[in-house]
Amino acid sequence: MDRLGSFSNDPSDKPPCRGCSSYLMEPYIKCAECGPPPFFLCLQCFTRGFEYKKHQSDHTYEIMTSDFPVLDPSWTAQEEMALLEAVMDCGFGNWQDVANQMCTKTKEECEKHYMKHFINNPLFASTLLNLKQAEEAKTADTAIPFHSTDDPPRPTFDSLLSRDMAGYMPARADFIEEFDNYAEWDLRDIDFVEDDSDILHALKMAVVDIYHSRLKERQRRKKIIRDHGLINLRKFQLMERRYPKEVQDLYETMRRFARIVGPVEHDKFIESHALEFELRREIKRLQEYRTAGITNFCSARTYDHLKKTREEERLKRTMLSEVLQYIQDSSACQQWLRRQADIDSGLSPSLPVASNSGRRSAPPLNLTGLPGTEKLNEKEKELCQMVRLVPGAYLEYKSALLNECNKQGGLRLAQARALIKIDVNKTRKIYDFLIREGYITKG
């Protein structure tokens, strides 16, 4: 007859009796010949000689109970399991709470027994050491050794590298400003004293628990940032730009779910979507070839070359439509019309006259309906159209320059540029106009 303990104190954790389907209470019977699954009976069904299918009443059996010593004669196996569960629930060191949960042992007995048999037991220490050595030997050929750097980077405060790394300090493995940075403020005035009432003590413990949960959230966020490589934002953005626009949009949308899955799984998902996008594009391209009656790669290359040529010709033939954007610029119209005439006659088109900046000149600004237009004279309207400056802004700049000129008794171009922070070319044109019209004088 063997005496074994396999289950906890909760009856719902034990299997039901095969005879009466009730929850088993120790001691109970296990058939040594039937199974798997194991065949259990309560004492009442066993004494009645219950038989079911292959199970016979004369089969050998085992008595299942945890009412026997394991490590200490005064401690049963059931109490050993209750002690381990209480330490797991209440935490190591909270022996009074452990004793209250066990109900059968005092605080001193729980502490003494746990320290003797589970902490300072040489048998357990040697067993754990052997397990660790076996695990190291198992992974000796495959494990990659990790060596911390001797001198990690130390970016100076408020430097470009520090801002890119969101204030992360590699030498301390910490951030300059933590998430929930003022969580410790709730604990600064808490002091545990012996004459605290139960309610006050419970309130202080609740504050400590809340602070502990906030620390756990802080560590969780650090782990997500570290595992997914989100510390260096610029490097992360460069990696995102490898993908097409559609995949980048998905990357941005799915970033919030990165905290749920691991970094490898998240990257696999993005890579698989990028591959799907490439396949869809190639399938669409193949469908275009099939629609055009193309069945081999040589014809496909010819088709792509001709398609590109047709597109270039179509763009050339629609250059006249661009003139409509510059209908108020007579010189631009003449240039585009000459180019169109050269193309129609088969000649090489003449290039438009390039501006000093190398950019195409913008059309004059339409002042119709803009506030402040009625306050301008004809010359000022012409200036605002050519400089592309709204009348309200021009009136503000004009007033500022006039006031400064009256204060200084004259105004230089450098002073005008320092006074109004806009494009230097526009400032020069406004300054020259006001000098020419007599509004201000040179300093």
Side-chain angles (χ1 to χ4, degrees), residues 217-260:
E217 175 63 18
R218 184 183 293 175
Q219 295 301 321
R220 186 185 73 87
R221 290 173 177 255
K222 286 183 181 179
K223 185 177 184 300
I224 293 175
I225 292 174
R226 181 174 59 252
D227 292 346
H228 289 267
L230 305 179
I231 293 177
N232 196 323
L233 180 60
R234 181 173 300 180
K235 185 182 296 184
F236 185 76
Q237 291 174 344
L238 291 176
M239 294 177 61
E240 280 188 346
R241 292 171 186 168
R242 299 177 305 169
Y243 301 112
K245 181 64 169 61
E246 294 79 359
V247 182
Q248 291 182 17
D249 295 340
L250 176 76
Y251 211 128
E252 181 68 25
T253 304
M254 297 302 298
R255 185 179 299 171
R256 67 194 69 180
F257 299 105
R259 57 183 179 178
I260 302 175

Side-chain angles (χ1 to χ4, degrees), residues 99-381:
N100 295 337
Q101 182 169 326
M102 287 193 61
C103 300
T104 59
K105 299 293 181 180
T106 64
K107 167 186 174 183
E108 291 75 13
E109 290 175 337
C110 293
E111 181 180 5
K112 181 180 178 181
H113 183 80
Y114 191 86
M115 296 300 296
K116 178 181 178 180
H117 295 284
F118 294 99
I119 299 298
N120 301 322
N121 192 335
L123 175 62
F124 288 170
S126 62
T127 303
L128 294 175
L129 180 60
N130 293 336
L131 290 176
K132 182 178 180 181
Q133 291 175 349
E135 184 66 22
E136 291 177 352
K138 180 180 178 181
T139 59
D141 297 335
T142 58
I144 301 175
F146 172 78
H147 302 286
S148 59
T149 178
D150 296 332
D151 189 16
R154 293 176 171 84
T156 58
F157 176 72
D158 204 26
S159 62
L160 180 60
L161 180 59
S162 178
R163 291 195 296 270
D164 288 342
M165 298 175 65
Y168 183 74
M169 298 175 289
R172 292 176 53 187
D174 217 337
F175 288 89
I176 296 177
E177 184 173 349
E178 294 282 1
F179 167 77
D180 201 358
N181 200 37
Y182 300 98
E184 290 77 11
W185 281 26
D186 297 335
L187 296 177
R188 58 182 178 177
D189 297 328
I190 291 183
D191 187 17
F192 288 89
V193 295
E194 295 182 356
D195 57 348
D196 283 343
S197 63
D198 294 341
I199 296 179
L200 182 58
H201 180 78
L203 179 61
K204 292 180 178 179
M205 291 301 299
V207 174
V208 174
D209 291 339
I210 293 173
Y211 171 69
H212 184 255
S213 65
R214 296 165 78 177
L215 288 184
K216 290 173 63 177
E217 175 63 18
R218 184 183 293 175
Q219 295 301 321
R220 186 185 73 87
R221 290 173 177 255
K222 286 183 181 179
K223 185 177 184 300
I224 293 175
I225 292 174
R226 181 174 59 252
D227 292 346
H228 289 267
L230 305 179
I231 293 177
N232 196 323
L233 180 60
R234 181 173 300 180
K235 185 182 296 184
F236 185 76
Q237 291 174 344
L238 291 176
M239 294 177 61
E240 280 188 346
R241 292 171 186 168
R242 299 177 305 169
Y243 301 112
K245 181 64 169 61
E246 294 79 359
V247 182
Q248 291 182 17
D249 295 340
L250 176 76
Y251 211 128
E252 181 68 25
T253 304
M254 297 302 298
R255 185 179 299 171
R256 67 194 69 180
F257 299 105
R259 57 183 179 178
I260 302 175
V261 298
V264 178
E265 290 77 7
H266 183 69
D267 290 342
K268 284 182 179 179
F269 175 77
I270 300 298
E271 291 289 345
S272 61
H273 188 79
L275 178 59
E276 178 188 356
F277 173 77
E278 293 293 335
L279 292 176
R280 288 181 180 273
R281 186 170 62 179
E282 291 299 322
I283 290 173
K284 185 177 180 181
R285 185 179 175 187
L286 179 60
Q287 290 174 345
E288 181 182 357
Y289 289 155
R290 294 301 188 190
T291 304
I294 298 173
T295 57
N296 54 67
F297 288 108
C298 182
S299 301
R301 286 193 293 269
T302 305
Y303 174 79
D304 290 337
H305 177 70
L306 294 176
K307 180 181 177 181
K308 182 178 179 180
T309 303
R310 288 194 301 269
E311 185 68 19
E312 292 175 353
E313 291 295 331
R314 186 185 65 81
L315 292 176
K316 291 179 181 179
R317 292 295 176 180
T318 57
M319 283 192 300
L320 187 59
S321 62
E322 298 182 12
V323 179
L324 299 177
Q325 302 178 10
Y326 306 95
I327 197 64
Q328 297 178 351
D329 190 345
S330 58
S331 61
C333 288
Q334 294 175 2
Q335 292 176 2
W336 286 109
L337 288 174
R338 283 197 298 268
R339 293 189 64 195
Q340 186 64 40
D342 293 340
I343 293 174
D344 293 339
S345 61
L347 301 176
S348 58
S350 57
L351 296 176
V353 179
S355 62
N356 294 332
S357 61
R359 296 178 297 178
R360 185 172 56 190
S361 59
L365 178 66
N366 186 6
L367 303 182
T368 305
L370 294 180
T373 306
E374 67 280 357
K375 299 179 181 180
L376 306 179
N377 56 36
E378 293 302 324
K379 292 184 178 180
E380 289 177 328
K381 290 181 180 179

